[in-house]
Amino acid sequence: GDVVFHTSQSAQSKAIQLATHSRFSHVGLIHIDHGRTLVYEAVGPVKLTALDVWIARGEGKHFVAMRLKDAEQKLNPENLRALQTVGASYRNRPYDFAFGWGDDRIYCSELVWKIYKQALGIELGSLQRLGDFDLTHPVVREKMHQRYGDHIPLNEPVISPGTIAASPLLEKVFEE
């Protein structure tokens, strides 16, 4: 149930950082399976990735782990099962390069936000519109043009890794 963040080395990472004014461009959820620490993430298909592999993909192997405040009460075994059940419903969905809010394709922060919202009714950060982000930098404009051409869906609901990281419902528990 912990939420982990890093700066991805993907082609879109810099544009995400510039548009959202956040150092984070990727996010996932910690999942423990038979003593193995994994990250449930949307990258290609939605899948589980070994934590060490996930960390190695981040810039400088730096990452931050955050936990829901009052996790001892809120993340009881029943609620953890709910997170897993909802999360499993997204497994193998393709990555959403257009950052749409539908469920047929999904991006990393959308996955984390929807799992918490659907399983526990908790919103980790407030939804924004694509047009709320800073779309002025040339790197961002180029990426937007590649994805949308001249028809940028400025009113599309979105959630970013930085918005989730800034949620007052989370507290940092680890940084490396």
Side-chain angles (χ1 to χ4, degrees):
D2 285 355
V3 184
V4 288
F5 302 86
H6 72 198
T7 303
S8 169
Q9 297 182 64
S10 73
Q12 68 183 6
S13 178
K14 193 63 172 173
I16 291 169
Q17 290 175 279
L18 291 165
T20 63
H21 297 274
S22 172
R23 64 182 171 145
F24 302 121
S25 61
H26 191 55
V27 60
L29 284 176
I30 293 292
H31 176 80
I32 307 295
D33 184 33
H34 296 93
R36 292 180 51 221
T37 304
L38 306 165
V39 178
Y40 197 56
E41 63 174 339
V43 56
V46 174
K47 65 178 185 170
L48 287 165
T49 302
L51 179 62
D52 60 336
V53 172
W54 188 89
I55 291 169
R57 281 200 333 255
E59 196 172 274
K61 298 184 180 180
H62 176 264
F63 74 101
V64 172
M66 299 183 84
R67 182 171 294 152
L68 196 61
K69 291 180 180 175
D70 300 324
E72 299 80 28
Q73 290 79 35
K74 293 178 183 170
L75 295 182
N76 58 44
E78 179 182 338
N79 286 347
L80 287 173
R81 278 191 300 279
L83 289 173
Q84 289 176 341
T85 299
V86 171
S89 72
Y90 290 103
R91 183 164 290 164
N92 295 321
R93 302 255 176 113
Y95 188 83
D96 188 356
F97 288 100
F99 303 111
W101 197 245
D103 289 342
D104 56 330
R105 297 178 174 277
I106 197 152
Y107 57 94
C108 66
S109 44
E110 177 188 19
L111 176 69
V112 170
W113 194 91
K114 285 182 174 181
I115 289 172
Y116 262 91
K117 174 68 173 170
Q118 292 170 8
L120 306 179
I122 294 172
E123 295 183 6
L124 296 179
S126 298
L127 291 179
Q128 296 174 275
R129 297 174 321 108
L130 187 58
D132 293 336
F133 294 123
D134 182 353
L135 308 178
T136 61
H137 194 280
V139 170
V140 176
R141 287 198 322 259
E142 179 184 340
K143 194 57 72 179
M144 298 295 280
H145 184 73
Q146 287 173 359
R147 302 276 165 87
Y148 307 110
D150 294 331
H151 305 288
I152 300 171
L154 297 174
N155 288 317
E156 185 72 25
V158 290
I159 191 76
S160 71
T163 301
I164 292 175
S167 172
L169 302 178
L170 295 174
E171 59 188 352
K172 184 170 29 174
V173 292
F174 186 82
E175 182 167 3
E176 182 174 293

